[in-house]
Structure formats: structure tokens, C-alpha cells
Amino acid sequence: MANCLERKKVLLVPLDPVHDIGLKMIRRGLDEAGHQTMLLPPDLPPEEIVSIISRESPDQVLVSRTLGYGVAELLARFVDLTDAAGLRDRTTLVVGGMAIRPELAAELGFDAGFGPGTSVDEVVAYIEGRPYKPDAAGIRKEKADLTARYGYEYRHPAIAKLLEGIVDGILAWAEGKTSPGIKRARLRDEAWDVETWRQGKLDGNFNDAYAALCDPVAEAFYRKGEVHPKTRRQSKEEIARLEDYLTSVEKGMTVRRLQHREGQPKVFIQYGTGCPFMDIAHIKVCEAWGADGVVHFDPSWGARTEGFIGDFLTHQEDGSVITPENLSWIKAALEASTLWQVRAHRGLNTPETVVLAGKLGADLTKINIAYGALAAGTDPARLTVDGVEAIRMAVKYNLPFDVVTNEELAGVPAHKAFAGMLIVAALARRLGGRPMLQPLFAFSPEVMVSGQMRDNYIDFNAAKIEALRAIIDAPIWPGAPIGFLTQTEDRVQSSMTTSLHAALAASLNVDAVSIASSDEAYSGGPIVAASRVDTLRAVAEGFRFFGEGRVEPTKKANQWATEIVEKIETVLKAVAAAPSFPEAMYTGLLGSKEEGAYPGRGGRGTVTEE
């Protein structure tokens, strides 16, 4: 092997009728590294190339060849000619090309072979006789603060005044009120020590006090050791296999970057397979293929149960059970650069989820009173008092959170969903939180009925972003996931629409996106890892394709953005005039039953005076 400190004489040979681009790129890398290079023209006869090698005496000969009939025979004959000329002991022969694999190169008599995906740095490292380390080539990822560059100043004075008035009303209404969810959150915050728990020390006082605040299913865990009937404990054998899996993966783990340039949005995936072992496997696949963040997706029944149970649990429905053990295993498996969100936006455990997320090391959470109360089954009054507490806990644990507007998927118009989102964001702003706006970036029921996407998927999505930016300076994280309801069971189509939506989001300079796997629209069950790779690769290609280029919306986007802002203001006026924020939700001001929004019943009647 050559000494990496020596400058080499390298002959680059396109043993091909036309193609030499790859060799030219490698030549540039070698020249920049100080090596002496000589690039031959394409399509020279092998005999003439051998004659040049004999005359020039290079240290290394890099041969390239693209696809074609008889490639193996041609390359083997070339090696035989160099051998017959007595050159094999004096020079190293290397071959590269789309059809080349290391095994084929060795079989043909070359010293090394490089196939598709080889980087210039990798070839230069080989020439210099040093190990190739991808990290040394710049693939380093750091955990990002998605809120760092925002000051949360209002840009629309009239809407700002309305939002501040509504926030005054919410805080006054919630003052002195409590719920079982708030009591559990405060107990978890004050009396549950995570280090003591990690040492396996049971706190009987905490368990007794906590059980008294749970419904019978959760209470049975603390009093009798029974787990929820939909779940089962992971066996010792499964845990041992998980440990073996993590040890094996960590040895060879490398990460990729999806973004082609700085400033393109961070990319999140949701896991939620139901099995934490499977979640971890999906997370590791997605990290390896470039995901920047992962979202803990909890089951619907968990959101309707008063209280969390514990233990390392799996179940056979969508969403992974929130327990300290499950979250801890997942946290331990994450790469240092991966952003981890534990969402807490919709159910009876909203404030306590934030506490658990904070104590167990999450980076982000998710809170939206309006979505949780109108499209996710929780009573508006209950989620208002719980939401205020959840935001306070998010501030205490330094957790930024997104405010999702998935009620649009039920048919709620964007302007009403956005009004609810902005109210929660304004509430967070007042309490010192760092909210992120999450507009739906999808083919929603509203546009299916009204036709805003009859011509393209660009204008109305762009209008939403423009409208929000006209109101407040806050991070924007379209979801959830982008391109939802445009994807079909065709994995190519599904990946492509995700990629195009991601490219549009990048063009609009948003901060993050959530993406689905290419089979999420039709899987009807577990999502396969290969489908996750589909969309991650497609998104990377979309980012690469556009780079600093732009998707240009038509004039219609500006018109719709103006209309959305005007309608948001109208909705906020009505909410401000309502007797209370919960009453505004009960009466449909932020989404009516006709629009698909139904005030939830979970936890109704559980709000009491402190």
C-alpha cells in the first residue's frame, strides 16, 4: 500500500467510447490533493493504453467503464495485456463504473474496484493509502435548535391585539382550575426522581399517590402489577435480543445528510409501530438514511386513559405506549444528533407527557388545545386547563413544541385551524414558551371540496406559509405528514409526491417537515423499513434537485394568503367575543360539526376548582 504522505503519479483511463466525467471529477480531487495526474482521451485501444503505461510509469492506473455488453471480457483482456507487458508489478490497477463491484474487480484481476455511490474523497483516500472515513469528508450532524432565529414578534397589529385579548381570557378562565391530569403532572414533576427510578428503587409513596389519580385500568398497574389489557410485557429474551441488536448496529452506524445545502428543512419521521423494539429498528434505519428527528407517536387509547402505566410494553395497534421504560429505551438508542419529540397534544395525559418527556431527555413536544379538543376526543374545557399547564411544564423543561393543525384532515378549513393554532402559540408566547407552527401541507378535505388544488399543489400550501408569516415571526414546520392524501399505494408515486412537497417546503424556507413512509397510505398494518428508505432517499433527491433554486407559486398564492389572513381575523373576533375559549370550541367557532369538528368528551366534567 502506498504511503499517504507521498504524492502519486496517477493515469486516468476512460476505457469507454465516450464517458469520462467520473474520471474528470476524480482528477480534480487528486489535483487538489497535490498528486500528478494524466487523463487520457476516451476510446483508445487497450494496446495503446498499455504502451502509455509503459512509457509514463504511473504509480496508479484508474480505469473507468460504463455499462455495456462484453465489459467483463474487455476489462479482463486489459489486465492480461498489462500483465503480458510486465507492468503489473510496477503499477496498481483500479477500475470503477456503474457496473463495477469490488468482487467483480478482484475476479478480473484488478487491485480494487469502485461502484455506484463512490465519492471522490473515497478514491483519493485509496490512492493515498489511508482508510476512508466518511466523517472526515464532512458528514457530521449536530442537533439543531429550530426556534433559535425567531423572536415571536407579531406582524399584524389587529390580529396581535385579538390574540392577546384571547390569551388574557384563557388565563383568567383557567386560573384556580385543576384536573386529574394536572395533579398527576405536578406529582410526577415534584415526586418522581428519574435517577432513583433508573436505579430500580420503587417509591411506594409516589405509586400510592399516583394510583389515586388514575382510572381503574392504570390504577391496577400500581396496586396489582397488571398492565393494560391491550399490552404485554417484553420478555427477557426479547430484551436480550434488543441489546444484541443495538450493540451490533452501533459498531457500523453512520449517518447521512438529506439536505443538499444549509438552510433546507430538518426532516422528521413518526415511528409508533406499537413495539418499542421495532420502533428502535425503524429509528436506526431512518437515522442511517438521513432523518434528523423522530416523533413518538402514542396510541389513541392511551390518550383516553387517565394515567400512565409502566414497564417495557408492546401492543398490536398503531402508536407506541408511553411508559418511562419505553421512552428510556428509545432515548438510549438515538444518535446524539437526532431530535426527539414526544408528542403530548391531545389526551388526558397532556401535561404529564411533557413532564415525562422533559425528565427523560426529549428535545421537543407537541401541544395544541384546539386540535386535541375538536379532532382528537378530549373535552375542550379539560384540554384548556391541561393545555395551559402543559405549556408551563414545557417552559420549565425547556421544550419547544409544535402546534399541529391536523383537524384540517377532518375537514376544518385552514383559517379556522390556524386561528386555533395561533391562539395556542400566543398563549405559549405569553408564558415564555417557544411554539412552532405546524400547518397541514397536504391535499386536505377543504381543498378537495373547494378546489384550491385543482391546478397544482403549490399555491395553497404556499399561501398558508405566507399567511402565517404575515401574522407572526415564528418557526414553521409543515406536516403532518407533508403530502398526506396525495400518496397512493404506488410506492414510486408516494415517494415522489413526498419529495415534491419537501422541495416546496424547502423553497419556502421552512424549518422542518414531517414525512410519511411510501407505504403509509395503504399499509393497513406495520410499515416496512424499505418504505421509509424510499421517501428519505426521494426527499434527499428533491433537496439536491432544487438546491438554492425556487418553486415559484402563481399570483393565486398571494390572493389566497390574503384571504386566509382576513378569515383568521374574523374567526379571532368571534372567539374574542365568546364567553370563554372552551365555549368558543363547544359552539364551533374554531371548527363546526358540519366541518368535521366534534368537541371531545374525554375527561368531560373533570375540571374542578383548586
Side-chain angles (χ1 to χ4, degrees):
M1 186 62 72
N3 185 325
C4 63
L5 297 178
E6 299 174 1
R7 299 304 98 186
K8 302 299 179 187
K9 184 176 183 180
V10 184
L11 185 69
L12 300 107
V13 181
L15 194 60
D16 190 283
V18 177
H19 303 97
D20 64 352
I21 298 301
L23 284 178
K24 288 176 176 173
M25 294 170 63
I26 291 170
R27 182 189 191 187
R28 185 184 66 184
L30 291 169
D31 288 344
E32 290 174 352
H35 300 288
Q36 179 185 352
T37 61
M38 178 178 179
L39 176 62
L40 300 184
D43 210 23
L44 293 179
E47 292 80 2
E48 185 175 348
I49 296 170
V50 170
S51 176
I52 295 172
I53 295 172
S54 179
R55 185 181 69 241
E56 298 293 336
S57 297
D59 300 303
Q60 310 263 3
V61 177
L62 302 187
V63 177
S64 74
R65 177 72 193 194
T66 56
L67 294 169
Y69 291 111
V71 170
E73 290 78 6
L74 176 67
L75 292 172
R77 179 167 172 264
F78 176 75
V79 173
D80 289 343
L81 287 172
T82 58
D83 195 23
L87 301 174
R88 289 296 281 121
D89 294 335
R90 290 193 280 145
T91 189
T92 301
L93 293 182
V94 180
V95 63
M98 295 299 289
I100 302 302
R101 299 293 183 275
E103 298 81 6
L104 176 62
E107 184 178 337
L108 296 174
F110 286 86
D111 296 290
F114 294 95
T118 301
S119 69
V120 171
D121 295 302
E122 190 173 354
V123 177
V124 172
Y126 176 83
I127 295 296
E128 295 179 345
R130 57 180 170 81
Y132 173 61
K133 297 180 180 179
D135 279 348
I139 305 176
R140 295 186 184 279
K141 296 178 72 171
E142 295 182 355
K143 194 171 284 186
D145 180 355
L146 301 177
T147 67
R149 61 191 176 102
Y150 295 94
Y152 295 98
E153 294 88 5
Y154 289 119
R155 292 168 172 159
H156 192 294
I159 286 180
K161 185 177 180 180
L162 287 166
L163 287 171
E164 290 302 302
I166 292 169
V167 168
D168 288 340
I170 291 172
L171 293 176
W173 183 88
E175 180 69 25
K177 293 184 173 67
T178 190
S179 74
I182 291 176
K183 293 175 182 176
R184 287 194 303 275
R186 292 178 179 172
L187 181 64
R188 179 79 69 177
D189 174 51
E190 296 165 2
W192 189 74
D193 181 70
V194 66
E195 294 306 321
T196 301
W197 169 78
R198 282 179 173 145
Q199 294 168 13
K201 298 178 182 176
L202 298 177
D203 186 338
N205 292 332
F206 170 81
N207 287 352
D208 288 342
Y210 189 86
L213 299 170
C214 297
D215 67 15
V217 173
E219 183 182 5
F221 174 80
Y222 297 95
R223 305 219 187 271
K224 305 175 186 175
E226 297 175 357
V227 297
H228 194 286
K230 289 178 178 284
T231 69
R232 71 167 176 83
R233 290 181 169 92
Q234 298 270 18
S235 68
K236 291 182 179 177
E237 291 75 16
E238 289 170 324
I239 294 173
R241 288 173 190 158
L242 175 57
E243 290 173 338
D244 290 343
Y245 168 77
L246 284 173
T247 300
S248 172
V249 168
E250 286 172 2
K251 288 180 180 177
M253 185 72 185
T254 59
V255 296
R256 299 188 180 198
R257 191 190 303 279
L258 295 176
Q259 295 77 12
H260 176 60
R261 66 173 181 83
E262 292 298 324
Q264 289 181 323
K266 301 300 180 186
V267 178
F268 285 73
I269 61 101
Q270 293 187 156
Y271 44 88
T273 66
C275 170
F277 192 157
M278 192 66 73
D279 285 342
I280 289 170
H282 278 243
I283 288 169
K284 301 314 291 181
V285 167
C286 293
E287 287 176 326
W289 287 93
D292 303 293
V294 297
V295 179
H296 189 98
F297 169 39
D298 55 328
S300 297
W301 60 260
R304 299 188 181 97
T305 302
E306 292 272 18
F308 289 126
I309 57 177
D311 225 322
F312 194 30
L313 301 177
T314 185
H315 77 146
Q316 295 184 348
E317 296 180 11
D318 286 350
S320 296
V321 185
I322 291 180
T323 70
E325 289 82 356
N326 282 3
L327 294 180
S328 292
W329 270 100
I330 290 166
K331 170 63 178 176
L334 297 173
E335 294 296 303
S337 62
T338 299
L339 289 162
W340 183 37
Q341 182 187 57
V342 178
R343 69 180 201 176
H345 62 301
R346 61 178 180 172
L348 302 177
N349 302 303
T350 294
E352 188 187 355
T353 305
V354 176
V355 176
L356 265 180
K359 290 202 172 195
L360 295 172
D363 304 290
L364 305 158
T365 186
K366 182 189 293 280
I367 304 168
N368 189 355
I369 298 170
Y371 168 61
L374 296 177
T378 303
D379 174 64
R382 169 65 184 269
L383 202 51
T384 298
V385 294
D386 280 12
V388 171
E389 182 73 7
I391 293 171
R392 287 184 168 130
M393 289 296 182
V395 173
K396 176 175 182 177
Y397 286 95
N398 195 29
L399 289 174
F401 62 90
D402 72 75
V403 191
V404 68
T405 57
N406 275 16
E407 61 266 48
E408 280 190 74
L409 291 175
V412 175
H415 65 276
K416 288 192 175 182
F418 284 12
M421 173 171 62
L422 288 165
I423 290 169
V424 175
L427 182 60
R429 180 180 181 273
R430 176 75 68 84
L431 297 175
R434 290 180 289 158
M436 292 171 283
L437 308 179
Q438 191 164 91
L440 196 67
F441 215 62
F443 189 42
S444 67
E446 176 191 14
V447 299
M448 292 179 189
V449 173
S450 302
Q452 292 96 327
M453 292 185 178
R454 188 180 295 117
D455 178 65
N456 63 66
Y457 294 129
I458 298 172
D459 289 338
F460 198 65
N461 281 322
K464 291 181 180 182
I465 306 299
E466 186 178 338
L468 292 172
R469 286 186 173 141
I471 294 171
I472 189 170
D473 174 44
I476 296 180
W477 174 357
I482 56 171
F484 204 53
L485 295 176
T486 63
Q487 297 135 343
T488 71
E489 63 183 3
D490 180 336
R491 283 174 54 179
V492 174
Q493 184 274 347
S494 181
S495 300
M496 187 181 76
T497 56
T498 297
S499 174
L500 290 173
H501 280 79
L504 173 61
S507 177
L508 296 168
N509 291 321
V510 304
D511 301 280
V513 294
S514 294
I515 66 169
S517 71
S518 63
D519 64 353
E520 191 161 324
Y522 69 95
S523 65
I527 292 166
V528 300
S531 298
R532 292 199 181 276
V533 177
D534 287 346
T535 43
L536 287 165
R537 292 189 64 187
V539 167
E541 290 300 316
F543 287 164
R544 176 65 185 89
F545 184 87
F546 284 96
E548 293 186 359
R550 285 286 175 271
V551 179
E552 190 65 34
T554 74
K555 294 179 181 177
K556 199 71 178 172
N558 288 333
Q559 177 187 330
W560 279 329
T562 300
E563 291 176 3
I564 290 171
V565 172
E566 291 172 351
K567 289 179 179 178
I568 288 173
E569 185 174 359
T570 300
V571 172
L572 292 176
K573 286 179 180 176
V575 174
S580 68
F581 181 56
E583 191 64 24
M585 290 189 282
Y586 285 128
T587 54
L589 297 181
L590 294 169
S592 67
K593 294 177 180 177
E594 292 73 22
E595 293 163 333
Y598 294 86
R601 298 180 180 180
R604 184 163 294 181
T606 57
V607 175
T608 58
E609 297 296 325
E610 285 186 306

